[in-house]
Amino acid sequence: MRAAIYQEAGRVEVHEVPDPRILEPTDAIVRVVRACICGSDLWAYRGVIQRPAGSRLGHEFIGVVEERGAEVRGVGVGDFVVAPFQWSDGSCPACRDGIHTACVHGGTFGAAGTDGGQGELVRVPQADGTLVAVPGGAAAVGPELYPALLALSDVAATGLHGAVLAGVREGSTVAVVGDGAVGLSAVLGAHTVLGAERVILVSSHEDRAALGRALGATDVVSARGEEGVEAVLAMTEGLGVRHVVEAVGTPSSWAMCIGMARVGGSVGAVGVPHTAPQLALFPVLRKHLSIALGIAPVRRYLPDLVARVTAGWTAPGRVFDLELPLEEVADGYRAMAERRSIKTMLAA
Ligand SMILES: [Zn+2]
């Protein structure tokens, strides 16, 4: 089969690799229908973090089950499935608490020794605890649903999780810092899934702000830093916002979040802090803030979100603004690294 292989910073290539085989009776083999490139894939591509040369890439994919191990019961051959970006057994204490991304038998697609989503086939460990089948099988899933279903494998659920961590409820006012695919998905999740009334998006890119408005943002703040914080305070009678979603993970985005949070407010963070932000805790103490961080347990949200998509909710797929064949994956990395694409979808 063909798969995207990481070579070095700035270089991703597609090569022929051996087809995956069932290794454990709990495995399934999935033929990828669509995959995508994640903002987090860009950290190694940009040389910010190290990644072994020759490793597979990609952790977001949808596809059709081609083979299953002897103990797999929950999904069958021919099922159209959505995979969360990490696999999980669904039965350990962490999974039972809904924190599937801390599963004792879990792991991430594309990590050393595993298949990545950016390829033609993927061996999925713990298939029963991981994959969610779309009702009706492959015949019931038209291409018009692919972008939305694919978005559920990471960004749609990750953005929603940020809003959940921030305590967003029906009627809430929430601010989202970050206008990448996760931030935009947080806007959508807060607005559509959780019922927030006012959603303030911090975005200095006009095209992303426009998409944010289409996904449910009621206000856009284009200024950054102190100026951005002042703008949000001015919109909220000087009080700040009770619920803030951090979807970037840098020291400056954290400073904005803490600055615009209202006394007694909550910050829910899903931006991956690769640059090790130094979090100043005194302002958090002084403002009585609750701060929650977590790698989104996408699997927890999938059954509900898949049902919404099959009922016609295509909005999550709007974060994709470029589609390429797998063979041209390198162009997708370049487009996202140069911020010409919010998120690139790959057809295997
Ligand atoms: Zn588990």
Side-chain angles (χ1 to χ4, degrees):
M1 70 153 177
R2 307 284 286 167
I5 310 286
Y6 180 79
Q7 304 292 333
E8 60 182 355
R11 193 154 67 95
V12 170
E13 294 173 356
V14 176
H15 288 281
E16 193 67 28
V17 297
D19 284 359
R21 295 178 298 113
I22 298 280
L23 299 180
E24 302 288 339
T26 45
D27 290 350
I29 304 294
V30 172
R31 180 163 293 278
V32 175
V33 171
R34 291 290 185 279
C36 52
I37 302 171
C38 184
S40 65
D41 294 331
L42 297 178
W43 289 102
Y45 186 81
R46 289 188 170 122
V48 177
I49 59 169
Q50 296 300 310
R51 184 181 189 100
S55 58
R56 305 291 179 82
L57 286 161
H59 52 256
E60 297 152 287
F61 61 97
I62 54 175
V64 177
V65 176
E66 195 157 279
E67 194 183 346
R68 68 175 185 177
E71 291 175 18
V72 176
R73 292 286 172 271
V75 293
V77 172
D79 276 354
F80 195 102
V81 291
V82 179
F85 62 82
Q86 291 194 3
W87 65 82
S88 52
D89 61 12
S91 57
C92 77
C95 284
R96 289 202 305 271
D97 283 346
I99 310 175
H100 300 76
T101 38
C103 177
V104 292
H105 297 117
T108 305
F109 295 105
T114 72
D115 294 320
Q118 293 161 18
E120 292 177 314
L121 294 163
V122 176
R123 180 179 74 90
V124 177
Q126 304 293 341
D128 273 346
T130 303
L131 298 172
V132 173
V134 180
V141 184
E144 72 282 0
L145 294 184
Y146 293 169
L149 289 172
L150 178 60
L152 303 189
S153 69
D154 186 348
V155 291
T158 297
L160 171 61
H161 187 60
V164 168
L165 290 179
V168 175
R169 293 185 295 271
E170 190 83 34
S172 291
T173 294
V174 53
V176 175
V177 176
D179 63 0
V182 171
L184 293 167
S185 299
V187 168
L188 177 66
H191 171 265
T192 305
V193 180
L194 301 176
E197 188 176 302
R198 191 175 186 196
V199 182
I200 302 168
L201 172 65
V202 177
S203 170
S204 48
H205 302 85
E206 243 169 68
D207 51 338
R208 293 175 187 233
L211 179 52
R213 285 186 192 278
L215 296 177
T218 50
D219 307 81
V220 171
V221 168
S222 57
R224 288 169 180 247
E226 268 304 309
E227 209 184 319
V229 170
E230 291 302 326
V232 172
L233 293 178
M235 291 171 145
T236 51
E237 298 167 337
L239 296 173
V241 180
R242 207 178 286 284
H243 311 280
V244 183
V245 179
E246 200 293 313
V248 184
T250 60
S252 57
S253 64
W254 269 101
M256 282 191 81
C257 289
I258 290 166
M260 69 177 63
R262 180 180 174 135
V263 165
S266 306
V267 179
V270 285
V272 181
H274 281 304
T275 50
Q278 298 293 310
L279 191 58
L281 285 178
F282 191 75
V284 176
L285 175 87
R286 188 173 53 78
K287 292 178 80 172
H288 298 248
L289 300 182
S290 299
I291 294 200
L293 304 87
I295 297 169
V298 169
R299 181 62 179 78
R300 184 206 303 178
Y301 300 104
L302 276 185
D304 171 53
L305 296 181
V306 167
R308 287 170 187 262
V309 170
T310 55
W313 189 47
T314 56
R318 294 189 63 179
V319 294
F320 295 107
D321 54 1
L322 180 62
E323 181 172 355
L324 295 170
L326 175 65
E327 291 298 324
E328 292 170 27
V329 64
D331 291 339
Y333 274 84
R334 210 169 300 126
M336 283 182 61
E338 293 170 3
R339 292 181 74 89
R340 282 183 286 114
S341 168
I342 296 173
K343 197 162 177 69
T344 299
M345 181 158 68
L346 302 166

